[in-house]
Amino acid sequence: MNKYTYRTLILEVFAILVALLFLAPFYFVINNSFKTFADILIDPASLAVNPTLNNYTTAWEVINFPSAFFNSIVITVFSNIGLVLISSLAAYRLLRYPSKINGIIFGLFIAAMVIPFQSIMIPLVRVTSALGFANSRLGLIFSYFGFGVSLPIFLYHGFIKSIPKSIEESAIVDGCSTYGVFGRIVAPLLKPMTATVLILNTLWIWNDFLLPSLILHDKELKTIPLAVSGFFAQYTKKWDLALAALVLAILPIVIFFLSLQKFIIRGIVAGSVKG
Amino acid sequence: MNKKKLRYLLDEVVFIGPAFIFFLIIVIIPFIIGMYYSFTSWDGVNDNITWVGLDNFIYLFKDEGFINSFIFTLKFTFVSVIITNLIALLLALVLTSQIKTSKVLRTVFFTPNVISGLLLGFVWQFIFVNGFSAIGEMTDLAFFNLPWLGTASTAFWAIIIVSSWQGAGYLMVIYIAGIINIPTDLKEAAGIDGANAFQRFFKVTLPMIMSSITICLFLSISWAFKMFDLNYALTKGGPFNSTKSVALDIYLEAFQNNNYGLGTAKAFVFFIVVAGITALQVKLTKEREVEM
């Protein structure tokens, strides 16, 4: 059954062809991003004859790439740190100290996962501006804390369930405080699930467009998706610059994915296993 | 209150408090306020919010734009869920066979999924408008010469193409995990009993990956139903509002037309439909899962 047969070879060739088809859009975008506007219009399929970096230098400035990149990093990193912290604490407590109230709170967190963002976004704009969250990176990060906390609580909850309780109990008998038990015993055990949570949240927050577009308004605060969207609103059909801007915008997350792809794919699988 | 009880309360607050406070402010309170707004004619700016009872709900069931966006979303969800899952399952079957490039190809198929739907929408705008016509000129294939984003029916399929391209790799990874977990002796036994490839697939593989199917259907249905970024960047709902998803319609109603009251009423109906459909789907496919 494990032999490489003639049929496997056909399958292999077929798979590679499909993969090339999957990659074709990237060929078009990357290749044309090195052409002048006129060359793009003449023949978008041919290889760039006189490749130029002019589009990139202009696009870099137009979307203010360094600032957008910085904002995306800050927002993604701090949202991640906060989400891991608050959701692991809550999941642990909700599971290990069952009570009527904790059951209701857990139920609320889980039930909220079916609320589509569009269902709360309109009043959310009101609430966030009333609290002074509007137009600030911190406000956006706090919004991610609230909107993003359900899934990691669900994941940590399921994960902690599989950890034997006896180690924690013996630590308590030995005089360890509830915080000590969490910090010294539970938290280190959560590492595999934390990796999954970080991966899922990074992909979501880094790529999110709607929530930041509702909260951030200043030019200097724009994240990468906001900067690109702003570019397209302003320069419709300026494809030479647009394609360079798109490549710049896509590059960071693709590099992130390619360098950690083993963990990311593993994390996606772990995250998809429901409890 | 005794010391022990106080201690317990303090621990509750320290552990659950931070998560719950943010959750309350960002999700619960806006959700409740939204329910209230949906019974008003609020424009989002004015401070006098007038209660209009069920008027918004009565109106939106007569609102052709909203009904059309719902029909589009249902059609899109139905088609894209089937196509994306079929492609994903096919890729998973091929990549779990003995082929040597399996690992590299897994990465290739997954890559579109790590990129923001907004950026992919803009990328494909270029492909449909400029790329396809260039290939069409070279090959003379009618497929590439269609006005992809120009007519209602082609724009529908354009969005299907992009969303399947984006989502298939993610679902593929979940299907691969399911297929790998099938005990090999089960397949071998079926092979010895004389089952051919199709019988092995339908009698062994498919029943054994029902839990992956549950997850993949759940994910693809909720992606399709909540589609916004891709839709916003690729067609902006056009041509003539023919590809406007419900999520985009709600957004435009609130932030372009400034009808916050009506927008929240739409959002409320949207929530009930999304919650209902995903709950029903999970219930239906979970019943078919085989426990080992």
Side-chain angles (χ1 to χ4, degrees), chain A residues 5 34 60 155 223 269:
Chain A
T5 60
F34 293 106
W60 179 279
L155 293 174
T223 61
V269 172

Side-chain angles (χ1 to χ4, degrees), chain A:
Chain A
M1 206 170 174
N2 288 321
K3 257 201 271 155
Y4 194 89
T5 60
Y6 187 63
R7 273 175 69 185
T8 327
L9 180 72
I10 295 175
L11 214 56
E12 180 118 43
V13 172
F14 166 75
I16 292 172
L17 286 177
V18 177
L20 290 177
L21 198 67
F22 252 70
L23 291 177
F26 296 119
Y27 162 77
F28 271 95
V29 169
I30 295 169
N31 180 32
N32 285 298
S33 68
F34 293 106
K35 293 184 191 170
T36 62
F37 189 65
D39 282 347
I40 294 174
L41 291 188
I42 292 167
D43 187 2
S46 66
L47 263 176
V49 211
N50 305 307
T52 158
L53 280 174
N54 283 345
N55 298 336
Y56 281 91
T57 45
T58 318
W60 179 279
E61 276 165 38
V62 173
I63 61 171
N64 202 350
F65 187 77
S67 150
F69 184 75
F70 173 77
N71 290 328
S72 280
I73 289 271
V74 167
I75 288 159
T76 308
V77 167
F78 286 99
S79 303
N80 260 316
I81 294 173
L83 276 171
V84 162
L85 217 71
I86 65 176
S87 59
S88 60
L89 280 167
Y92 167 72
R93 182 78 190 180
L94 291 171
L95 181 75
R96 288 293 196 239
Y97 294 80
S99 69
K100 215 169 193 179
I101 291 187
N102 285 359
I104 293 170
I105 293 176
F106 181 67
L108 272 177
F109 277 126
I110 300 311
M113 282 201 278
V114 297
I115 300 178
F117 179 69
Q118 280 79 13
S119 294
I120 56 166
M121 69 179 177
I122 299 164
L124 180 68
V125 172
R126 202 72 207 280
V127 171
T128 47
S129 63
L131 289 169
F133 286 4
N135 218 2
S136 93
R137 288 187 209 101
L138 193 65
L140 180 60
I141 290 166
F142 285 162
S143 304
Y144 281 124
F145 287 178
F147 198 63
V149 83
S150 287
L151 182 68
I153 285 184
F154 175 67
L155 293 174
Y156 277 126
H157 193 272
F159 189 77
I160 298 168
K161 227 191 244 172
S162 67
I163 302 175
K165 213 175 161 181
S166 48
I167 326 168
E168 293 158 46
E169 280 163 347
S170 58
I172 293 171
V173 172
D174 289 345
C176 203
S177 71
T178 36
Y179 309 111
V181 171
F182 182 82
R184 284 190 224 166
I185 295 166
V186 179
L189 291 171
L190 294 183
K191 267 185 204 154
M193 193 41 90
T194 300
T196 301
V197 168
L198 288 175
I199 286 162
L200 292 173
N201 284 337
T202 300
L203 292 180
W204 165 49
I205 294 167
W206 183 272
N207 287 333
D208 193 23
F209 164 67
L210 189 48
L211 183 55
S213 80
L214 295 177
I215 292 193
L216 304 176
H217 305 294
D218 285 355
K219 248 191 157 152
E220 317 73 82
L221 296 178
K222 283 187 173 164
T223 61
I224 289 179
L226 288 187
V228 173
S229 162
F231 172 91
F232 272 86
Q234 220 174 337
Y235 303 83
T236 24
K237 306 281 152 26
K238 281 287 287 156
W239 281 117
D240 47 346
L241 300 184
L243 295 176
L246 282 173
V247 174
L248 282 175
I250 288 172
L251 220 50
I253 194 77
V254 170
I255 291 172
F256 170 78
F257 167 62
L258 291 180
S259 49
L260 295 170
Q261 49 107 357
K262 221 171 80 191
F263 303 98
I264 291 176
I265 288 184
R266 208 185 290 156
I268 299 290
V269 172
S272 75
V273 179
K274 71 227 151 35

Side-chain angles (χ1 to χ4, degrees), chain B residues 3-23:
Chain B
K3 226 174 156 187
K4 216 173 154 193
K5 231 177 172 177
L6 198 72
R7 181 84 242 187
Y8 180 87
L9 252 169
L10 186 72
D11 284 354
E12 285 274 299
V13 170
V14 170
F15 277 94
I16 307 169
F20 193 71
I21 286 170
F22 287 113
F23 178 69

